[in-house]
Amino acid sequence: MTRYVLSYGAVKTAGERPFPWHSIILVFDPDGRPPVSDAVVLFTPSNSLGNLSTPNRLTAYLPVEDFDTYHRILQTESPVFAEWTEDNGGRLTSFYLKTQEEPVGEGPVDRSEALG
């Protein structure tokens, strides 16, 4: 994956209260997993994991509560890879982000000044 785009919003259908959604569009390298060139990850109150509804685009629906976790991974890790599995009908059965192996203890550097 080479980059990502974030969006925020709310959706309201006739007679219903608006519900929040956030999305992350993951854009893959040209030599990434064919035939998918990008993945739209929608964080909504939906129970569906998603499917391949558009050519060359993976669509995953995840709980809106998970948005911060996925966003934090994209902000702090590099490189990040998206992996997923599908059933025979092309519906997603799993979707997740992962990194490469990292050394133990790697993490944010404490840049605060030492006390006294």
Side-chain angles (χ1 to χ4, degrees):
M1 172 177 29
T2 58
R3 56 195 159 95
Y4 68 95
V5 178
L6 300 178
S7 63
Y8 303 85
V11 175
K12 180 179 180 180
T13 58
E16 293 184 3
R17 294 180 50 187
F19 63 85
W21 62 266
H22 310 311
S23 71
I24 299 175
I25 301 175
L26 308 172
V27 182
F28 298 100
D29 296 325
D31 61 344
R33 182 179 175 169
V36 176
S37 61
D38 61 352
V40 178
V41 184
L42 298 173
F43 297 86
T44 72
S46 170
N47 292 327
S48 171
L49 187 57
N51 60 28
L52 288 168
S53 57
T54 307
N56 298 327
R57 174 169 278 180
L58 173 81
T59 304
Y61 298 90
L62 302 176
V64 70
E65 298 83 24
D66 292 346
F67 175 81
D68 287 336
T69 301
Y70 279 78
H71 188 202
R72 190 174 314 111
I73 290 169
L74 292 169
Q75 287 180 313
T76 60
E77 300 295 333
S78 181
V80 174
F81 303 93
E83 292 193 4
W84 61 91
T85 58
E86 305 163 29
D87 65 16
N88 290 336
R91 295 193 58 79
L92 290 181
T93 55
S94 71
F95 177 86
Y96 56 95
L97 297 180
K98 69 179 236 176
T99 64
Q100 294 178 334
E101 185 175 310
E102 298 181 23
V104 174
E106 181 185 34
V109 176
D110 182 2
R111 299 195 188 286
S112 62
E113 295 183 32
L115 297 175

